[in-house]
């Protein structure tokens, strides 16, 4: 039996069929953080993307090259180079959502990352409704 496409019910069924979702622009690559402090490599991991500090370009003037501000004392000796700071990022259609860890503050924040038309990354870290935005540039 073929459906009658002229009927209102058939027309309504066509309207509610799933539509292909838009995908956020990929964010993988190597990125220079704000003020050129470090290079972060963003790669696919698991079912999303994550990012690690792969090179510290401007070390902390106090000489700390470890995750000294981490709230977990067992993690305070972890080297900054190699430290995962972006975790569990998933494409939400407009941006990538996940968490970002700040070794300078020793805190994790909800985060949104979006590639801008000029090729930079807009990186937001948020607590509730308060967000701080940084712009990361492609590392060359």
């Amino acid at each position: 039996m073929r459906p009658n496409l002229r009927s209102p019910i058939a027309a309504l069924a066509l309207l509610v069929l799933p539509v292909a979702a838009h995908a956020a622009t990929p964010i993988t690559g190597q990125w220079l953080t704000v003020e050129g402090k470090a290079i972060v490599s963003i790669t696919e991991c698991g079912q999303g993307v994550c990012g690690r500090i792969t090179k510290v370009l401007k070390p902390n003037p106090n000489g700390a090259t470890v995750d000294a501000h981490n709230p977990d004392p067992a993690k305070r000796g972890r080297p900054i180079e190699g430290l995962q700071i972006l975790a569990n990022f998933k494409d939400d259609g407009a941006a990538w959502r996940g968490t970002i860890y700040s070794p300078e503050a020793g805190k994790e924040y909800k985060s949104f990352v979006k590639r801008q038309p000029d090729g930079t990354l807009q990186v937001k870290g948020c607590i509730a409704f308060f967000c701080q935005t940084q712009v990361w540039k492609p590392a060359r």
Side-chain angles (χ1 to χ4, degrees), residues 47-127:
Q47 294 183 356
V49 296
C50 57
R52 294 187 180 278
I53 296 174
T54 52
K55 180 107 176 120
V56 174
L57 301 173
K58 294 182 182 176
N60 183 333
N62 298 329
T65 59
V66 294
D67 191 11
H69 300 291
N70 195 298
D72 181 348
K75 295 180 179 178
R76 291 183 186 153
R78 298 187 302 180
I80 295 295
E81 283 191 2
L83 186 65
Q84 181 175 314
I85 62 166
L86 301 174
N88 304 315
F89 276 78
K90 305 274 193 264
D91 178 351
D92 79 355
W96 293 82
R97 293 177 183 251
T99 58
I100 188 167
Y101 174 72
S102 168
E104 293 174 334
K107 294 184 180 179
E108 188 173 87
Y109 305 96
K110 183 168 74 169
S111 182
F112 306 90
V113 176
K114 183 176 182 178
R115 189 183 293 246
Q116 300 294 69
D118 67 359
T120 62
L121 280 188
Q122 179 185 56
V123 181
K124 287 185 183 181
C126 303
I127 297 176

Side-chain angles (χ1 to χ4, degrees), residues 15-59:
L15 291 175
V16 296
L17 288 175
V19 182
H22 288 64
T25 305
I27 58 172
T28 56
Q30 292 198 328
W31 301 94
L32 189 61
T33 63
V34 70
E35 298 176 9
K37 291 182 180 181
I39 294 175
V40 174
S41 294
I42 300 177
T43 60
E44 293 182 12
C45 61
Q47 294 183 356
V49 296
C50 57
R52 294 187 180 278
I53 296 174
T54 52
K55 180 107 176 120
V56 174
L57 301 173
K58 294 182 182 176

